[in-house]
Amino acid sequence: MATPAKKKVFPFLIFILLLPTIFIVISLYPPPPPPPPPTYFPLPSNSNFTLTIKLLTFNRLSALSRCLHSLSAARYDHDTVHLHIYLDHFNVSSIGSSKIDEKRRVSMEILDFLDGFKWDHGQKMVHYRTGNVGLQAQWLEAWWPTSDDEFAFVVEDDLQLSPLYYRFLKGLIMNYYYNESNFSPMVYGASLQRPRFVPGKHGNKIQLDIDTHLFLYQLVGTWGQLLFPKPWKEFRLWYDDHKAKNIRPILDGMVTTGWYKKMGDKIWTPWFIKFIHSRGYFNIYTNFLGERALSVSHRDAGVNYGKTVGPDSNLVDETSTDLNLVNLPLLNHLKWYDYCFKEVLPNRIIKSSNEFGLIVQSLQHLDTILLVSVYGASESILMNLLCHFQKLNIFNYILLGPKSDFIVDLARRGHPVIDADQLFEHIGHQKLLKTKKSSVELTREFMVKAFAIKKCLELGYTTWIFHANIIPLANDSFANFVDPSKDFLVSETSKLLSVRSSPSSKKIWVDDFVYKIVAIAESSRSKDSSSIGENFVSTVKQLLQQMSIKLGLLDDAHFLLNGDDIHGNQTFSRNMEKVVSWPPKMNSDMIKKRLVNFDMWAVDDELSCSAVVCHKS
Ligand SMILES: *[C@@H]1O[C@H](CO)[C@@H](O)[C@H](O)[C@H]1NC(C)=O
Ligand SMILES: *[C@@H]1O[C@H](CO)[C@@H](O)[C@H](O)[C@H]1NC(C)=O
Ligand SMILES: *[C@@H]1O[C@H](CO)[C@@H](O)[C@H](O)[C@H]1NC(C)=O
Ligand SMILES: *[C@@H]1O[C@H](CO)[C@@H](O)[C@H](O)[C@H]1NC(C)=O
Ligand SMILES: *[C@@H]1O[C@H](CO)[C@@H](O)[C@H](O)[C@H]1NC(C)=O
């Protein structure tokens, strides 16, 4: 014990002797001040990035003046930022002639003010309209991007901006637009207003933990909205198309659709909201402690407010050092929320056997998994099923099928998917398949289905597997079929199979069983090449019967049957307690017609759900 202490004496002596020198050195060289935090973003030298402020104004000079002064006082770090001001005209036909001079005087004052207003950061442009166009045209006509490097920040005149707003926007653009590893085509811009509103009826309250400073949310914000060029162009074309065809932006279950029905084309947001819903896009939002935001609305009397309400939030000022505006999180660390403020989990794609666990656990916390085979399914029929799932609060499903743009897009929108092609490659490498190399579709399909069921059993889940030819009518429809004395339930006509999680089923559904299913597929392929697609259930049934395992045969009277029976309304309605189904081969126009008759067609012409249905979570 003594030795180590002794060893320390010598350095200590040296330290004592050097002490005066150290003091002298310290006093000669005062410690350097801490480096200033990096506060601006040097532009990538090869970028053509430009940002233009689009300020929409009408008849509120004092608001406009407050807004412009806040914009002018912000930090631009020597960047060029243009200012375009759109001054709407008063509505000549809605005012009496006695008021005209007064209205003209207000406009003149505003124009004088604008003429005198100095904008040092770029070009100033004033667009003074000849007639009243209202808020919708003010927004929609404010911008047509001339390149993919041009960004617009739209500001209404009763806003006030934080001095840090531009640095923040630029940081977002550099990080989430120009940096490929954080870019997503799903992101259409960023709102600087404090998020408060959930437009889906009966949606969740906005609740985020204090460490979440950034998140993604579908809703557009009108109090300081940054727009990315490509999605905005896409929207403008979509709007033109819908307007020309007289298609109205109705999205059931949304508070904003009520606004549209009341205010019609005075407002533009219902159009944008419907567009975003059909594309599955998202907006970036901030969440700062203390009800702070980089843009606040004074909610002055005007189109949106009958009388002045006052600021909605506290403005972030330059002393807000707790805000990290520089090191922005990776895109895939941000959370995504839909119009119900329900979290969306994008890009859950199972490509290998070890990805099952995490993704299966991310589904609703139930002991059952619905495996929906999308082999041969039409996009509209599948989408209709997904809309029914949403309506019924069913989230314990996984889509299973070959990779296609449609499936990848569904995964992007938050529907969990098994990529059958890649999974097949992966499990093939595991030498599970000992037979001849085969990449034929049927083999692949049977293999992946059988393997997925095996994985679900291993993870302790009961599995229902079916095509997109069955629509449950309640969230517990499948549970209603369960027969506790049977591990396996089959409906031959509807091609539905259920495998219950139990020790005995796990003993049956082993690698060898999977292999046998695949072997049958291979042999049937050589015999009959036309039977692609729907025979998995029959194959399993046949195999189980050969092994003398007891199956429950589902009473097919539970289902709508018979594709030939065009006028089969009676059959249909009689069996509507649990599920509605049809033979997988039935023609999709026919299916649609029938479902429309029974008010079960939940998809609009753009293949998105015609309603938003929220469930408290
Ligand atoms: C910037 O614009 C010029 C002219 O359109 C183009 O040639 C150049 O490739 C652009 N640079 C980048 C990085 O996009
Ligand atoms: C202008 O006023 C007329 C008459 O009140 C009205 O019909 C019209 O919709 C108004 N225009 C706008 C853009 O609000
Ligand atoms: C892009 O983002 C990645 C991941 O955040 C980061 O490692 C990289 O440095 C960024 N690139 C640039 C040019 O900022
Ligand atoms: C299922 O539906 C019933 C009746 O509509 C409802 O009471 C129940 O909460 C739902 N369960 C889930 C998990 O959504
Ligand atoms: C089927 O029933 C629905 C609702 O009862 C009815 O509106 C429809 O006309 C019927 N269709 C046929 C083909 O009978």
Side-chain angles (χ1 to χ4, degrees):
M1 281 293 173
T3 333
K6 223 187 217 167
K7 270 189 186 158
K8 278 185 189 148
V9 171
F10 183 63
F12 182 70
L13 269 180
I14 291 185
F15 179 73
I16 294 284
L17 291 175
L18 282 178
L19 218 48
T21 330
I22 290 172
F23 277 129
I24 290 165
V25 170
I26 286 178
S27 52
L28 277 180
Y29 298 96
T39 47
Y40 73 95
F41 299 83
L43 284 175
S45 53
N46 63 347
S47 167
N48 293 327
F49 159 78
T50 63
L51 184 133
T52 302
I53 300 162
K54 304 284 183 174
L55 173 52
L56 314 181
T57 186
F58 182 27
N59 57 7
R60 302 182 287 200
L61 177 56
S62 63
L64 174 64
S65 157
R66 178 182 54 210
C67 180
L68 277 172
H69 283 111
S70 73
L71 284 169
S72 172
R75 301 286 179 161
Y76 294 98
D77 304 317
H78 309 294
D79 284 2
T80 298
V81 175
H82 304 305
L83 173 66
H84 292 178
I85 299 159
Y86 297 83
L87 175 58
D88 204 359
H89 198 277
F90 59 87
N91 188 345
V92 178
S93 43
S94 73
I95 54 167
S97 51
S98 61
K99 288 264 178 78
I100 293 216
D101 284 339
E102 187 196 323
K103 294 279 177 188
R104 286 197 60 236
R105 191 180 46 76
V106 171
S107 298
M108 289 306 291
E109 274 173 18
I110 291 177
L111 285 164
D112 281 347
F113 170 75
L114 290 177
D115 287 345
F117 184 79
K118 252 179 81 169
W119 181 253
D120 296 329
H121 311 289
Q123 158 208 106
K124 179 181 85 178
M125 190 277 286
V126 178
H127 183 126
Y128 179 36
R129 299 201 186 265
T130 54
N132 184 263
V133 299
L135 259 184
Q136 185 181 105
Q138 281 273 74
W139 272 85
L140 297 193
E141 293 179 12
W143 190 39
W144 179 259
T146 56
S147 83
D148 290 344
D149 297 304
E150 192 186 301
F151 297 80
F153 181 54
V154 188
V155 173
E156 292 179 4
D157 60 8
D158 59 351
L159 303 188
Q160 189 179 359
L161 281 302
S162 159
L164 298 178
Y165 93 89
Y166 173 77
R167 283 182 182 166
F168 181 73
L169 289 182
K170 188 175 165 192
L172 287 184
I173 293 167
M174 293 307 148
N175 198 52
Y176 298 115
Y177 189 84
Y178 283 114
N179 187 335
E180 243 171 82
S181 56
N182 279 316
F183 173 77
S184 163
M186 288 168 82
V187 177
Y188 67 81
S191 168
L192 294 189
Q193 77 180 70
R194 186 164 64 90
R196 308 168 58 185
F197 177 54
V198 175
K201 287 178 187 165
H202 316 294
N204 294 313
K205 277 222 171 71
I206 296 184
Q207 267 170 346
L208 295 153
D209 61 66
I210 55 169
D211 297 323
T212 302
H213 287 176
L214 281 187
F215 64 99
L216 293 136
Y217 181 24
Q218 288 203 280
L219 188 64
V220 66
T222 53
W223 299 340
Q225 175 70 46
L226 171 72
L227 298 169
F228 287 177
K230 276 188 245 180
W232 181 255
K233 271 182 160 171
E234 215 183 304
F235 166 62
R236 282 297 316 272
L237 297 173
W238 178 94
Y239 171 87
D240 285 353
D241 184 53
H242 282 66
K243 201 75 185 179
K245 292 176 181 155
N246 209 11
I247 306 171
R248 295 168 351 126
I250 303 289
L251 183 53
D252 290 333
M254 294 281 284
V255 174
T256 46
T257 301
W259 298 353
Y260 175 77
K261 289 179 176 167
K262 248 201 325 247
M263 305 182 65
D265 283 340
K266 279 206 173 67
I267 50 176
W268 71 286
T269 42
W271 293 92
F272 196 74
I273 285 168
K274 173 79 178 168
F275 165 76
I276 293 303
H277 181 255
S278 78
R279 301 299 154 105
Y281 290 166
F282 287 81
N283 203 9
I284 299 172
Y285 273 86
T286 61
N287 173 54
F288 297 140
L289 209 57
E291 306 202 330
R292 282 175 306 163
L294 289 150
S295 169
V296 305
S297 167
H298 288 266
R299 299 182 287 187
D300 292 326
V303 176
N304 296 315
Y305 292 94
K307 57 178 203 263
T308 300
V309 180
D312 75 297
S313 303
N314 304 316
L315 205 56
V316 168
D317 62 29
E318 284 197 272
T319 63
S320 305
T321 50
D322 60 320
L323 303 185
N324 185 348
L325 304 181
V326 182
N327 298 314
L328 298 173
L330 298 179
L331 185 72
N332 58 17
H333 287 179
L334 300 182
K335 290 189 168 184
W336 307 70
Y337 294 91
D338 66 11
Y339 284 144
C340 297
F341 215 74
K342 177 184 161 59
E343 192 176 350
V344 174
L345 301 170
N347 302 321
R348 284 176 295 170
I349 304 183
I350 297 178
K351 301 185 223 86
S352 66
S353 67
N354 46 19
E355 286 167 328
F356 268 87
L358 259 181
I359 292 181
V360 164
Q361 277 153 31
S362 74
L363 305 177
Q364 213 169 38
H365 298 290
L366 294 174
D367 53 10
T368 302
I369 302 286
L370 309 178
L371 283 176
V372 180
S373 162
V374 304
Y375 280 93
S378 92
E379 293 182 0
S380 61
I381 300 291
L382 178 58
M383 204 57 219
N384 187 56
L385 175 63
L386 295 176
C387 298
H388 280 276
F389 281 168
Q390 186 208 51
K391 213 187 238 170
L392 295 169
N393 202 15
I394 292 175
F395 288 99
N396 55 327
Y397 61 89
I398 308 182
L399 309 177
L400 181 156
K403 195 167 181 168
S404 65
D405 290 348
F406 184 61
I407 288 296
V408 170
D409 190 57
L410 288 175
R412 185 181 70 76
R413 291 162 185 255
H415 302 284
V417 161
I418 294 173
D419 175 343
D421 298 342
Q422 286 213 39
L423 182 61
F424 180 80
E425 291 301 316
H426 185 260
I427 53 189
H429 282 304
Q430 291 189 336
K431 302 259 183 280
L432 190 60
L433 189 62
K434 283 166 269 169
T435 54
K436 30 200 158 149
K437 227 171 81 187
S438 176
S439 57
V440 170
E441 194 71 350
L442 186 65
T443 310
R444 201 180 276 232
E445 178 193 330
F446 277 36
M447 173 84 182
V448 169
K449 285 180 176 174
F451 184 80
I453 292 171
K454 177 172 164 275
K455 277 313 275 194
C456 290
L457 284 176
E458 281 171 13
L459 292 163
Y461 291 87
T462 291
T463 316
W464 291 81
I465 187 163
F466 52 97
H467 286 262
N469 65 318
I470 297 181
I471 302 175
L473 295 166
N475 58 18
D476 59 357
S477 288
F478 290 106
N480 276 337
F481 291 124
V482 167
D483 174 350
S485 68
K486 308 264 173 34
D487 281 339
F488 301 93
L489 299 174
V490 174
S491 161
E492 263 266 39
T493 23
S494 292
K495 305 297 176 196
L496 173 76
L497 167 72
S498 154
V499 183
R500 190 162 62 114
S501 164
S502 74
S504 49
S505 66
K506 245 187 268 179
K507 246 189 240 161
I508 295 166
W509 207 285
V510 290
D511 282 354
D512 195 44
F513 188 79
V514 171
Y515 162 65
K516 276 187 189 150
I517 293 174
V518 175
I520 293 178
E522 301 242 299
S523 65
S524 77
R525 177 163 57 84
S526 49
K527 275 184 257 142
D528 172 17
S529 59
S530 67
S531 62
I532 306 286
E534 296 119 27
N535 290 332
F536 179 76
V537 170
S538 320
T539 305
V540 172
K541 180 181 167 198
Q542 201 183 343
L543 193 56
L544 289 170
Q545 281 172 337
Q546 276 169 22
M547 294 164 75
S548 311
I549 292 158
K550 270 207 203 138
L551 318 168
L553 296 180
L554 284 177
D555 175 6
D556 274 334
H558 286 306
F559 301 94
L560 159 74
L561 303 172
N562 204 344
D564 310 321
D565 177 13
I566 299 167
H567 304 291
N569 243 356
Q570 276 189 333
T571 330
F572 197 96
S573 50
R574 195 155 16 98
N575 302 311
M576 282 192 48
E577 313 114 36
K578 290 175 182 170
V579 301
V580 162
S581 82
W582 52 89
K585 279 212 165 139
M586 194 165 158
N587 167 291
S588 60
D589 290 337
M590 176 70 65
I591 301 166
K592 177 179 170 182
K593 234 188 241 161
R594 289 227 190 157
L595 291 175
V596 168
N597 269 351
F598 284 92
D599 204 16
M600 291 189 66
W601 190 249
V603 176
D604 68 15
D605 291 341
E606 288 177 286
L607 280 198
S608 49
C609 300
S610 42
V612 165
V613 186
C614 301
H615 306 273
K616 283 266 183 311
S617 59

